[in-house]
Amino acid sequence: MRFVLKFFGVLVGLVIAAMVAVAVFTFTLLPDLPSVDSLKDVPLKVPLRVYTSNGELMAEFGEERREPIHIEQVPDKLVQAILAAEDDRFYSHPGVDFMGVVRAALANVRSGSHEQGASTITMQVARNFFLTPEKTYTRKIREAMLAFRLERALTKDQILELYINKIFLGHRAYGFAAAAKVYYGKSLDELTVSEMAILAGLPKAPSRDNPLTSPERAQKRRDYVLRRMYGSRYIDKEELELALAAPISASKHAVPVDIEAPYVAEMVRDHMLEKYGEEAYWRGFRVYTTVNGEYQQTAQKSLRDGLKSYDRRHGYRGPIHRYELNESTTQAQMDDALSQIPASGELVPAIVIAVAEQTATVYTKRRQVVDISWKGLSWAKRYLTVDKVGPKPKTTSDVIAAGDVIYVEHEGEIWRLSQLPEVSGGLVSLRPNDGAIIALTGGFDFYLSKFNRITQAERQPGSNIKPFIYSAALNHGFTPATLVSGAPIVVEDTSQDTVWRPQNYSRKFFGPTRLRKALSLSLNLVSVRILRAIGIEAALDHLAKFGFDPETLPNGLSLALGSGTITPINVVRAYAVFANGGYRIEPYFIKWVENQYGDIVEQAAPSVVCRACGQEQTNGTKSTVTELHLDAQQVIDSANHFLITDMLHQVVRSGTARRAQQLGRKDLAGKTGTTNDFRDAWFSGFNQDMVTTVWVGFDDSSTLGRREAGSKAALPIWIDYMKVALTGLREKSLRPPDNVVARYVDKDSGKAVTQGHPNGYQEYFLASNAPGASSVINVPGETIDATPTVLQQPETTTEGLF
């Protein structure tokens, strides 16, 4: 009896000690546990997503790939697979499965290991959301206590929804919806039973057991889950056998982007990171940009095609590498060699494996064996210098040899030898009435060069600057019919005892030339004289109205030829003034930003020119009207706008941009630009709905080569883009304001003539400056004969061409 009493005394003591221990743990750990309110509002880390104006996905940024869903959207079979794999008593236990704890403990004692766990789904949610991952008894107790608290705060479905959205499933996939996209490229409701079982089996060891890292382990784990589902009567015998027989067919799927616009996406990322810090990557922001998806795709294709066209004109530079082929070379060895060379869009790395008289056979990085016909090889004259290519090839061996590592592309019905262009370029297109960027591409391939030539490249604009000089001249009494000498000019730099002799692109000299014709033909000597007549300071003040920074522009006569440096985004902003009637706007690329709950947290409020420009923007069933600020600053009056724009129409009708007539429209205006030694080629053109600038050049400012002017290197890219972008937009005529009148003048003298005069044409004038008084401006110190004029200037300048 004494022994029994002693035993019970010890037992009671142990129970009391255990209760005291539990109480101590409880009072020690409870204060550190999250509150019930915080459990009800658990944030998910959702990546930053960037969309076009129509809601097409452009990019996703963030370490965790996640797509939150509601429990109602989860297929029943997937829920059953998860319960079978992780917690078959989930809907009956209070957060901790005591029977499971006992079962796991007995299994571990029998096996002598600690492999069996007893974590319920609720405990896993507690651990993943609120606790650190260390494996200690204290953390296990905290996990259990928090599980009880979760069960009191949330319903079972809410807990399961958190689990389905939160759990890590390998390869940056968090949550089952993201995992379905990563491994299968499917939504949850498209998964097979076998695929659901694979995903349900991943939480135990997602990095080790996923179907990409270890298909064998993934299959073993899948089969275990399927048998558990069968044992729980979630699937029948036929479904089990069908699922067990299914192959492990997973493959890595990148984020399915609808529209590729990496330069714009990077601009958005920079903005969001600057404004929201690192939280931008996981707070679930959805950024809707101003970009039009169709225009963006066209811009990228037009730029790439134009740069490749330039590249082909200058010859084939030879193979990327040489690979030693022999009889024992395997496909795996070629795959390994090609894996080191990046593809670029349609340009695919390949190894030449055989050559014939006028064909070649290559093995590509896409594991294809393809033939290149002579049509795809015959273009490849050997590159010698930027201005010189070798003779036309006659056989394949004149171009390539077996073992050459090259680029190929599939064009139309044939494969073609290609190469990565070394030349760079950019295209930006705005809506001129409010500055919305509707398309932007800052280079040939963002993934090979992230430098954005539209926003970051400081380049000389060449004759792209001339319309602004001419606009200033119109404010100083010049008219489109004003005659200015095109005779030679010698500019002396007395401080360095040097001279500058600017020349026209054609190297020809002209006599007295009307402003309209001079701008149309981009005559440099006339532009220099105009600038000297109006004064450099006056010109700089006028250019500042268009958004140009005078500090970055030369304070000399070379300003007339565009020798300063400007980014293309600033050039297109300035041309928007001509397109919209004379108002300065600011380019913008973000329409609005939503948080993960759909609330708008940031919205564009651009200055606009007209109320009709603020269109309702639609995103699915949601719509918002951008706030309008009808305060765009007018920087040139309506008469100046009409006259300079009409002169820029002439550039397209009969001047350096006449190739644009192939678009079959009468509402297009613009200006080419080429700099000294053909280092930069530009075209900026517009109508009332759209303004677009194209720049082409080398990043190191090397020459593009002889005759690679703006009309040849940049204008064709602009035409290809505008051909698509202008589709469906009706032509809008340019109407003169009341203070502008039309008069007939002589083409040679600029003086008034009667209608029907054989040498006459109709010209527009400011009413106060119309012929009848005088249509000739006297340029101080100038004559209009062909003798050289000597000007003095206290600096050395550089030459600009049209």
Side-chain angles (χ1 to χ4, degrees):
M1 184 68 179
R2 185 180 301 169
F3 174 78
V4 172
L5 290 174
K6 188 176 181 179
F7 172 78
F8 274 105
V10 172
L11 184 62
V12 170
L14 290 172
V15 170
I16 292 173
M19 292 175 64
V20 170
V22 170
V24 170
F25 267 116
T26 300
F27 285 108
T28 302
L29 299 178
L30 269 178
D32 294 332
L33 295 179
S35 67
V36 171
D37 289 338
S38 68
L39 298 180
K40 290 181 178 179
D41 187 22
V42 181
L44 291 172
K45 288 187 176 182
V46 180
L48 168 66
R49 294 189 173 100
V50 185
Y51 298 89
T52 67
S53 60
N54 294 323
E56 301 153 304
L57 182 65
M58 287 164 47
E60 180 178 291
F61 298 101
E63 288 300 315
E64 299 185 9
R65 188 171 169 186
R66 179 180 279 114
E67 295 187 15
I69 56 172
H70 295 296
I71 189 66
E72 296 83 6
Q73 298 172 278
V74 183
D76 291 340
K77 275 286 190 293
L78 178 57
V79 171
Q80 293 164 355
I82 293 169
L83 297 180
E86 294 293 321
D87 191 354
D88 56 357
R89 287 169 39 80
F90 171 71
Y91 280 99
S92 59
H93 64 63
V96 177
D97 186 357
F98 293 103
M99 290 180 61
V101 172
V102 173
R103 184 171 61 246
L106 291 174
N108 288 337
V109 168
R110 283 195 296 268
S111 65
S113 69
H114 298 282
E115 292 184 358
Q116 286 284 335
S119 289
T120 63
I121 284 176
T122 310
M123 293 170 72
Q124 291 183 59
V125 169
R127 179 169 67 245
N128 278 285
F129 271 97
F130 304 106
L131 301 176
T132 56
E134 81 270 15
K135 294 184 178 181
T136 64
Y137 288 112
T138 301
R139 197 221 63 191
K140 202 69 177 174
I141 294 172
R142 288 168 58 86
E143 187 178 302
M145 295 170 64
L146 187 54
F148 287 131
R149 181 169 286 186
L150 274 170
E151 291 277 349
R152 291 197 301 272
L154 304 173
T155 66
K156 287 287 187 179
D157 281 350
Q158 287 174 321
I159 294 170
L160 185 58
E161 182 177 295
L162 286 174
Y163 176 84
I164 287 170
N165 284 318
K166 174 71 176 179
I167 199 74
F168 175 58
L169 298 173
H171 289 278
R172 292 181 54 233
Y174 288 79
F176 282 84
K181 291 287 178 64
V182 168
Y183 295 115
Y184 301 108
K186 298 179 179 180
S187 58
L188 292 180
D189 57 4
E190 295 174 318
L191 296 174
T192 66
V193 173
S194 171
E195 292 165 346
M196 290 180 184
I198 286 178
L199 297 186
L202 289 179
K204 183 178 180 181
S207 298
R208 183 192 68 186
D209 292 349
N210 71 74
L212 299 180
T213 303
S214 178
E216 297 80 11
R217 286 181 176 274
Q219 181 173 345
K220 184 177 180 181
R221 181 69 176 156
R222 177 202 69 177
D223 294 352
Y224 164 79
V225 175
L226 288 171
R227 292 189 175 95
R228 293 271 297 167
M229 293 178 71
Y230 176 68
S232 299
R233 298 184 180 180
Y234 293 144
I235 57 175
D236 57 28
K237 185 72 171 177
E238 183 179 353
E239 288 176 303
L240 172 66
E241 292 175 351
L242 189 64
L244 288 172
I248 305 298
S249 58
S251 60
K252 186 70 174 286
H253 290 76
V255 177
V257 173
D258 299 317
I259 299 293
E260 282 280 352
Y263 286 100
V264 179
E266 182 65 12
M267 291 163 64
V268 171
R269 189 190 70 84
D270 285 345
H271 168 84
M272 296 298 289
L273 193 61
E274 181 179 350
K275 184 162 186 175
Y276 300 99
E278 293 295 324
E279 291 186 5
Y281 291 131
W282 57 264
R283 282 179 56 185
F285 290 116
R286 294 188 290 271
V287 182
Y288 289 87
T289 68
T290 56
V291 168
N292 177 295
E294 181 185 8
Y295 296 170
Q296 180 64 33
Q297 288 181 315
T298 302
Q300 291 175 177
K301 184 179 186 305
S302 299
L303 180 67
R304 286 178 67 92
D305 287 350
L307 297 182
K308 287 190 296 182
S309 180
Y310 166 89
D311 201 57
R312 282 195 291 267
R313 286 198 297 273
H314 291 268
Y316 178 57
R317 296 186 300 276
I320 311 165
H321 298 297
R322 285 280 304 159
Y323 183 79
E324 293 301 323
L325 288 172
N326 54 57
E327 293 180 356
S328 62
T329 300
T330 65
Q331 179 177 323
Q333 290 173 325
M334 290 192 291
D335 287 338
D336 183 60
L338 291 171
S339 69
Q340 309 302 313
I341 304 169
S344 176
E346 68 281 1
L347 302 187
V348 185
I351 297 175
V352 180
I353 57 178
V355 296
E357 182 72 13
Q358 289 191 335
T359 61
T361 303
V362 302
Y363 177 75
T364 76
K365 190 174 183 176
R366 296 175 182 170
R367 299 182 177 180
Q368 297 172 287
V369 176
V370 300
D371 292 323
I372 306 177
S373 67
W374 187 240
K375 189 176 180 180
L377 290 166
S378 58
W379 69 269
K381 298 177 182 178
R382 184 68 59 181
Y383 171 90
L384 299 177
T385 71
V386 71
D387 291 316
K388 188 177 181 181
V389 295
K392 188 173 182 179
K394 297 179 179 178
T395 65
T396 302
S397 58
D398 292 336
V399 181
I400 55 176
D404 281 358
V405 181
I406 60 175
Y407 279 100
V408 296
E409 63 176 312
H410 194 248
E411 193 174 272
E413 299 297 321
I414 67 167
W415 283 89
R416 178 187 293 275
L417 170 67
S418 193
Q419 58 189 359
L420 279 178
E422 293 180 347
V423 69
S424 299
L427 182 154
V428 58
S429 189
L430 301 183
R431 193 166 60 214
N433 286 318
D434 67 350
I437 294 175
I438 54 179
L440 183 151
T441 178
F444 183 80
D445 188 334
F446 174 82
Y447 303 103
L448 298 179
S449 171
K450 293 179 172 57
F451 183 68
N452 189 334
R453 285 117 188 128
I454 294 300
T455 61
Q456 296 175 292
E458 298 275 353
R459 307 294 300 209
Q460 292 188 357
S463 294
N464 236 214
I465 204 76
K466 287 179 181 174
F468 308 100
I469 303 294
Y470 280 59
S471 172
L474 292 174
N475 281 353
H476 283 74
F478 284 75
T479 77
T482 297
L483 293 178
V484 177
S485 173
I489 298 175
V490 179
V491 181
E492 294 183 345
D493 184 346
T494 56
S495 65
Q496 298 187 34
D497 195 27
T498 59
V499 296
W500 170 51
R501 293 182 174 85
Q503 293 180 307
N504 293 319
Y505 171 75
S506 64
R507 307 291 177 178
K508 298 178 181 179
F509 296 105
F510 291 74
T513 308
R514 289 174 290 109
L515 255 64
R516 177 181 292 275
K517 182 177 180 181
L519 184 61
S520 175
L521 299 179
S522 200
L523 301 183
N524 290 332
L525 301 178
V526 171
S527 298
V528 172
R529 283 184 165 87
I530 291 172
L531 178 58
R532 181 174 181 267
I534 66 176
I536 294 169
E537 290 304 318
L540 288 172
D541 289 343
H542 193 74
L543 265 64
K545 296 177 181 179
F546 293 84
F548 295 121
D549 180 3
E551 296 298 321
T552 67
L553 299 174
N555 191 23
L557 293 179
S558 64
L559 172 64
L561 309 184
S563 63
T565 57
I566 308 172
T567 58
I569 191 70
N570 285 333
V571 171
V572 78
R573 174 181 63 182
Y575 272 86
V577 175
F578 297 143
N580 66 28
Y583 295 82
R584 177 173 164 179
I585 49 82
E586 292 298 326
Y588 71 102
F589 54 92
I590 293 177
K591 283 204 301 186
W592 76 82
V593 179
E594 296 177 0
N595 62 22
Q596 63 177 300
Y597 308 108
D599 303 318
I600 294 177
V601 297
E602 182 181 341
Q603 187 169 9
S607 297
V608 299
V609 177
C610 63
R611 186 169 298 277
C613 307
Q615 301 297 324
E616 185 174 280
Q617 310 297 342
T618 304
N619 175 23
T621 58
K622 180 176 187 164
S623 66
T624 179
V625 178
T626 301
E627 182 182 356
L628 299 182
H629 290 251
L630 304 178
D631 57 355
Q633 179 186 2
Q634 186 173 11
V635 294
I636 55 175
D637 62 34
S638 57
N640 187 293
H641 161 259
F642 174 83
L643 293 173
I644 192 66
T645 303
D646 189 61
M647 291 166 71
L648 289 172
H649 280 297
Q650 193 71 45
V651 176
V652 174
R653 287 195 293 264
S654 62
T656 58
R658 54 189 175 275
R659 183 182 294 189
Q661 291 182 60
Q662 66 184 262
L663 294 175
R665 299 179 67 106
K666 297 179 180 179
D667 61 344
L668 301 178
K671 184 70 186 75
T672 51
T674 311
T675 59
N676 186 41
D677 266 346
F678 299 93
R679 291 187 175 95
D680 302 270
W682 297 79
F683 186 73
S684 296
F686 60 91
N687 68 0
Q688 295 180 43
D689 294 308
M690 195 174 304
V691 54
T692 303
T693 288
V694 174
W695 168 82
V696 174
F698 285 98
D699 289 334
D700 63 1
S701 294
S702 299
T703 177
L704 290 165
R706 287 194 303 267
R707 294 182 293 278
E708 290 290 354
S711 58
K712 185 175 183 180
L715 178 58
I717 296 171
W718 185 91
I719 291 171
D720 285 350
Y721 168 74
M722 296 293 272
K723 187 182 302 178
V724 175
L726 292 174
T727 301
L729 297 179
R730 64 180 180 85
E731 293 189 31
K732 298 175 183 176
S733 59
L734 185 66
R735 297 181 180 178
D738 293 340
N739 60 339
V740 170
V741 297
R743 295 286 187 271
Y744 282 89
V745 296
D746 186 274
K747 292 179 181 179
D748 296 326
S749 69
K751 294 182 179 180
V753 296
T754 59
Q755 184 175 353
H757 189 283
N759 203 40
Y761 79 101
Q762 181 176 280
E763 183 58 271
Y764 290 101
F765 299 86
L766 192 65
S768 60
N769 219 8
S774 173
S775 60
V776 181
I777 297 295
N778 293 318
V779 181
E782 294 287 336
T783 60
I784 59 172
D785 59 26
T787 58
T789 301
V790 179
L791 307 177
Q792 288 190 345
Q793 174 158 308
E795 67 171 343
T796 301
T797 56
T798 57
E799 178 188 357
L801 303 176
F802 88 93

